[in-house]
Amino acid sequence: MQVCVTGIGLVSALGRLKPSWQHLLNGESAIRWYRPFANLSPLPLAMIGQTPASIEQLTYQVVADALEDANLTIPLKDCGVVIGSSRSCQAAWEQLAQEQITSHRKLDTEPEYPRFDILNEEILTLEHWLDTLPHQPAIAAAHYIGSFGPALAPMAACATGIWAIAQGFELIQTGQCQRVIAGAVEAPITPLTLAGFTKMGALAKTGAYPFDKQRQGLVLAEGGSVLVLESEDLARRRAAPIYGKLMGFGLTSDAYHVSTPNPNLQSAIAAVKQCLDRSHLFPTDIDYIHAHGTGTTLNDQNEAELIQQLFPQGVAISSTKGATGHTLGASGAIGTAFSLMALKHQVLPPCIGLREPEWDFDFVTIARQCQVRQALCFSFGFGGQNAVTALGISSNCRH
């Protein structure tokens, strides 16, 4: 059964879907210097506003935009929901912990455990703590669209977005749903996340430079994207314009190290080969690879070696994280959305921030008009999470 994409909702530091795409094609970056927390030093970040974003507001925005793009109205009682996040409501938990620490300092007796509502910015009672569990974006989306279908919330580090889309794909292919909203959202600008990545030495000091000889590390970013997935029969019955079709996925894990990818590449290569096999494609069939391209030393090195081993010299490659920053669990969903836009417009997005490539690849450095029929999108997450998706044009693609 063919699975088609009939709607896209996207929010990044560049804007929503169309502005993000246009800024990207113009070679613009949303990375700026911010100091969101007074007790931490300024950093290059990609933030949507001047203060950290709300995970709930991001979720509602991308879901509402995707439904409007697909010309759908709520309620959608039979629609599945698969929305993941690697950080989810971590900001709320950090606020809750801070409130407890503050209460401890003020009181001699054990304080009642508070809960911080990140929407209304007020302390509520403990009975509401369930609203901040990791599955909250998926549950909030299901409530918003009035769905009684499956509501799934995968969490697999930076591979979360592609895994979520893969789960939506499987819900349709197995006949459990005819329509699924799938993707990921991330609001990772929190004190603990910034301090943790700083301690690891993973953050860039000036900006994001994927695959560049002078790359420094990743730039944390906010954002998210969800896709409206439909069976081809349903999409055609309602005459819905189609961005493209999902052709297959590869999902593996290294079982090697908590943060370092396995240098032998065996598991990552297996994910790519799984994806190609399930999509009935050969490496030579791929016109474009949207690379994970974080700008870290290890990721870019491993990813480049993988591409060298599996793909012909002429395949076009870019990473969009030099423009959007790294949205962690949402990055694969955002990359998939940009890849679908490339299929729709037959234009490849540039690898912004790349000035002096370390590898002799066909990097897209300015927006490139060309024929794009099949594309791959890569995500490689901490813990050795490897996710790859293949996308193709449909005979009913949007123009």
Side-chain angles (χ1 to χ4, degrees):
M1 180 187 296
Q2 293 282 351
V3 178
C4 300
V5 179
T6 59
I8 300 175
L10 182 147
V11 177
S12 77
L14 290 170
R16 288 154 77 175
L17 178 61
K18 291 181 180 178
S20 287
W21 179 248
Q22 194 56 56
H23 288 311
L24 185 59
L25 296 187
N26 291 343
E28 300 170 30
S29 174
I31 295 169
R32 304 285 186 273
W33 282 88
Y34 291 94
R35 191 177 188 180
F37 308 105
N39 59 338
L40 296 177
S41 300
L43 285 167
L45 301 168
M47 294 177 61
I48 293 169
Q50 293 301 309
T51 57
S54 155
I55 194 78
E56 285 93 347
Q57 291 170 0
L58 274 177
T59 303
Y60 292 136
Q61 186 68 72
V62 295
V63 171
D65 286 357
L67 295 180
E68 181 180 0
D69 192 39
N71 196 27
L72 294 170
T73 57
I74 55 177
L76 297 168
K77 295 183 179 180
D78 299 323
C79 182
V81 173
V82 189
I83 298 181
S85 181
S86 73
R87 289 298 186 276
S88 192
C89 297
Q90 181 177 316
W93 282 95
E94 289 186 41
Q95 290 278 15
L96 188 151
Q98 184 60 48
E99 290 294 331
Q100 187 186 35
I101 292 169
T102 302
S103 298
H104 255 303
R105 289 171 178 167
K106 292 179 179 178
L107 301 174
D108 293 328
T109 58
E110 186 70 20
E112 180 182 354
Y113 199 72
R115 185 263 180 185
F116 191 83
D117 176 24
I118 57 179
L119 281 181
N120 300 316
E121 296 187 353
E122 61 184 9
I123 303 301
L124 302 178
T125 59
L126 184 59
E127 66 188 76
H128 299 281
W129 70 278
L130 285 169
D131 292 340
T132 64
L133 289 184
H135 67 295
Q136 183 59 23
I139 297 302
H143 288 174
Y144 174 68
I145 69 171
S147 172
F148 297 103
L152 308 178
M155 183 179 283
C158 298
T160 298
I162 289 180
W163 186 22
I165 296 168
Q167 288 188 315
F169 174 85
E170 289 174 349
L171 286 174
I172 293 175
Q173 284 227 316
T174 56
Q176 297 181 66
C177 300
Q178 288 292 300
R179 179 184 292 127
V180 178
I181 295 172
V185 291
E186 206 76 82
I189 308 301
T190 75
L192 182 60
T193 304
L194 291 176
F197 277 99
T198 299
K199 187 70 173 177
M200 290 175 62
L203 296 184
K205 294 178 171 58
T206 62
Y209 315 117
F211 300 107
D212 196 272
K213 288 181 179 179
Q214 305 302 319
R215 64 192 185 278
Q216 304 169 349
L218 62 89
V219 171
L220 280 174
E222 301 169 325
S225 181
V226 298
L227 311 178
V228 176
L229 310 181
E230 298 187 67
S231 68
E232 188 175 37
D233 288 345
L234 177 58
R236 293 194 184 282
R237 282 202 305 273
R238 68 184 195 90
I242 295 171
Y243 280 96
K245 57 186 177 182
L246 302 181
M247 302 180 69
F249 295 86
L251 304 168
T252 65
S253 63
D254 290 355
Y256 173 73
H257 188 269
V258 68
S259 60
T260 303
N262 193 328
N264 72 17
L265 303 177
Q266 182 177 352
S267 181
I269 288 172
V272 176
K273 288 184 174 180
Q274 279 181 16
C275 179
L276 292 172
D277 288 346
R278 293 168 181 170
S279 306
H280 306 292
L281 295 171
F282 295 101
T284 51
D285 294 325
I286 304 304
D287 301 305
Y288 169 63
I289 295 174
H290 185 287
H292 191 50
T294 60
T296 61
T297 300
L298 287 178
N299 174 86
D300 290 9
Q301 176 71 44
N302 277 32
E303 195 168 9
E305 290 179 7
L306 180 151
I307 292 170
Q308 284 176 328
Q309 289 191 35
L310 293 181
F311 295 93
Q313 181 70 19
V315 64
I317 301 164
S318 68
S319 164
T320 55
K321 290 182 176 65
T324 65
H326 190 357
T327 55
L328 304 182
S331 63
I334 290 175
T336 301
F338 284 148
S339 298
L340 287 161
M341 291 292 279
L343 290 172
K344 171 187 173 181
H345 295 287
Q346 294 291 285
V347 178
L348 301 181
C351 193
I352 295 169
L354 177 60
R355 297 167 293 193
E356 188 179 2
E358 184 166 337
W359 295 274
D360 183 21
F361 290 152
D362 182 16
F363 286 115
V364 182
T365 54
I366 59 173
R368 181 188 301 176
Q369 192 90 34
C370 68
Q371 186 179 55
V372 193
R373 299 190 64 83
Q374 284 92 214
L376 293 182
C377 186
F378 292 170
S379 283
F380 302 109
F382 277 0
Q385 300 284 346
N386 309 304
V388 182
T389 181
L391 309 164
I393 62 171
S394 168
S395 58
N396 195 32
C397 271
R398 293 173 179 237
H399 298 290

